[in-house]
């Protein structure tokens, strides 16, 4: 489900948030029963977000998401960002 949220973030033009959520999801995939659908979204988000952000910003967003607990990632994914 977090990877679906990441894909939505990407569609809304928020690639950094997409990467944070996708990285957090990848970290917790085993804990939450990741499946083929999750892996598809992770791959899709990764390529498009890296192209939008560049390697350095992508890596920073990925590191941020990888450090999140599952609860932090869920809260982040459902929060409405400041525009």
């Amino acid at each position: 489900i977090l990877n679906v949220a990441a894909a939505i973030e990407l569609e809304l033009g928020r690639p950094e948030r997409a990467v944070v959520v996708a990285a957090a999801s990848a970290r917790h995939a085993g804990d939450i029963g990741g499946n083929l659908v999750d892996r598809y979204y992770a791959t899709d988000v990764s390529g498009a977000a890296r192209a939008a952000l560049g390697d350095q910003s992508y890596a920073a967003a990925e590191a941020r998401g990888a450090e999140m607990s599952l609860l932090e990632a869920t809260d982040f994914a459902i929060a409405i960002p400041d525009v």
Side-chain angles (χ1 to χ4, degrees):
I1 300 236
L2 285 174
N3 275 326
V4 173
I8 291 169
E9 290 289 356
L10 190 62
E11 281 295 315
L12 293 173
R14 299 188 292 242
E16 183 176 351
R17 288 181 59 83
V19 173
V20 171
V21 174
S25 178
R27 175 183 173 208
H28 297 287
D31 300 337
I32 59 176
N35 60 34
L36 289 175
V37 172
D38 289 335
R39 282 182 282 218
Y40 166 77
Y41 280 112
T43 302
D44 191 44
V45 167
S46 176
R50 187 181 301 273
L53 294 172
D55 290 337
Q56 189 173 15
S57 293
Y58 180 91
E62 188 175 44
R64 181 176 172 203
E67 293 175 2
M68 289 183 171
S69 70
L70 187 54
L71 181 58
E72 289 170 330
T74 303
D75 287 345
F76 182 85
I78 64 173
I80 299 172
D82 295 333
V83 179

